[in-house]
């Protein structure tokens, strides 16, 4: 819907705004749900009824939107990328496969850091909760502006760069975890800022790259493949990350960093190229 309602100049910012609102909603929703659980069964029923009503309102708002030029509106720039239907979709499939190591990053805050903080650094779980809140606030506050600033560069190069930033943050988590105690927890919290930057750059460029380079009449199929790879990565992250963590933090962070760097190289080499901006000098 967002891709159909926007053109190439405004689509990235619109997608970023959508993700910022989503993150804010997840944060507020978690807080409301926690408070409701404390309130007991009656409060849970009120929350369920309120949520159902909110979904109905959202459905009404979405149904009121009219697409004046069909599902390919605003996607003329995709034709200028010179991708044939078969070749373009094939390269997006390669991009979706390369996305799998990237998508494991979503399990770091929720799965790895709580265990790392409590079991390996032996500090309060409040540290990991604070890191989660800080990450959410940073994403909500910075997503749109960062995506806008990166608009001068090729989306493919930006997506590859995000893999490098994430890999560096994994190495930072590895190093910070060796300190132990509150000092180690504080160092991990500092690395979360770098990790959040990688997450923002990644989520701000991936979907936008697919939307900008997919053959217009195959946009839905291309986005589905991208979202499927993201969903598979998120779904398998708890099991994969937990298994790696059992082998030790060094194994976990080194595998994550190496896998993400390989994925970033694959993105830069084989992902479809968009026509926006210039490539980053590092690439």
């Amino acid at each position: 819907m967002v891709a159909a309602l926007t053109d190439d100049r405004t689509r990235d910012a619109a997608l970023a705004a959508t993700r910022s609102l989503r993150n804010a909603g997840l944060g507020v929703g978690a807080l409301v749900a926690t408070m409701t659980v404390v309130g007991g069964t009656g409060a849970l029923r009120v929350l369920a009824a309120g949520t159902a009503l909110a979904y109905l309102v959202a459905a009404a708002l979405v149904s009121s939107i009219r697409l004046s030029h069909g599902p390919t509106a605003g996607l003329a720039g995709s034709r200028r990328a010179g991708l044939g239907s078969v070749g373009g979709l094939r390269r997006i499939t390669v991009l979706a496969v390369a996305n799998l190591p990237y998508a494991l990053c979503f399990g770091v805050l929720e799965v790895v850091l709580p265990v790392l903080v409590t079991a390996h650094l032996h500090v309060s779980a409040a540290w990991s909760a604070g890191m989660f809140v800080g990450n959410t606030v940073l994403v909500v506050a910075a997503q749109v502006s960062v995506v806008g600033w990166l608009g001068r560069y090729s989306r493919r190069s930006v997506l590859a760069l995000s893999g490098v930033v994430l890999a560096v943050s994994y190495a930072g988590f590895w190093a910070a975890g060796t300190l132990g105690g509150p000092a180690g927890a504080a160092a991990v919290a500092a690395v979360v800022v770098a990790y959040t930057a990688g997450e923002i750059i990644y989520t701000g460029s991936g979907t936008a790259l697919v939307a900008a380079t997919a053959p217009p009449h195959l946009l839905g199929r291309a986005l589905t493949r991208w979202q499927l790879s993201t969903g598979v990565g998120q779904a398998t992250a708890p099991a994969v990350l937990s298994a790696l963590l059992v082998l030790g933090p060094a194994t976990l962070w080194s595998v994550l960093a190496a896998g993400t760097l390989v994925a970033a190289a694959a993105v830069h080499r084989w992902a479809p190229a968009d026509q926006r901006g210039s490539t980053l000098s590092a690439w």
Side-chain angles (χ1 to χ4, degrees):
M1 286 288 289
V2 173
L5 288 166
T6 55
D7 58 26
D8 192 63
R9 296 170 300 170
T10 59
R11 189 181 306 124
D12 291 21
L15 289 170
T18 301
R19 284 187 297 272
S20 294
L21 288 172
R22 177 180 178 274
N23 275 57
L26 288 171
V28 173
L31 178 61
V32 171
T34 301
M35 296 171 60
T36 305
V37 168
V38 175
T41 304
L44 285 171
R45 286 174 176 162
V46 171
L47 177 62
T51 304
L53 178 61
Y55 274 121
L56 289 174
V57 172
L61 289 172
V62 171
S63 66
S64 70
I65 299 173
R66 295 292 179 264
L67 300 178
S68 58
H69 301 292
T72 60
L75 298 179
S78 299
R79 299 185 185 277
R80 292 194 297 270
L83 295 174
S85 296
V86 176
L89 199 58
R90 183 183 297 118
R91 298 193 78 177
I92 287 174
T93 300
V94 173
L95 177 62
V97 173
N99 180 50
L100 290 171
Y102 277 86
L104 292 176
C105 76
F106 294 117
V108 169
L109 279 177
E110 298 176 1
V111 177
V112 176
L113 293 190
V115 177
L116 180 68
V117 163
T118 56
H120 293 271
L121 300 180
H122 306 291
V123 296
S124 170
W127 278 96
S128 60
M131 295 173 197
F132 182 83
V133 171
N135 168 267
T136 301
V137 171
L138 284 174
V139 170
V140 172
Q143 180 91 63
V144 175
S145 58
V146 170
V147 169
W149 183 80
L150 290 171
R152 69 193 74 182
Y153 303 114
S154 159
R155 295 180 183 89
R156 181 175 67 177
S157 295
V158 172
L159 181 57
L161 175 67
S162 71
V164 176
V165 176
L166 285 171
V168 170
S169 72
Y170 296 149
F173 285 133
W174 183 2
T178 63
L179 298 178
V188 169
V191 177
V192 167
V193 177
Y195 161 84
T196 302
E199 179 188 353
I200 289 173
I201 299 171
Y202 161 51
T203 56
S205 56
T207 304
L209 176 60
V210 174
T213 58
H217 63 290
L218 297 177
L219 176 62
R221 187 180 301 180
L223 287 172
T224 297
R225 294 187 183 189
W226 174 259
Q227 296 297 339
L228 177 62
S229 70
T230 301
V232 169
Q234 288 180 295
T236 58
V240 172
L241 298 180
S242 296
L244 291 172
L245 189 56
V246 168
L247 299 176
T251 300
L252 168 70
W253 299 123
S254 60
V255 169
L256 274 179
T260 307
L261 283 176
V262 170
V267 166
H268 184 259
R269 175 63 180 84
W270 290 298
D274 62 311
Q275 302 299 304
R276 185 185 71 173
S278 57
T279 56
L280 293 171
S281 58
W283 293 92

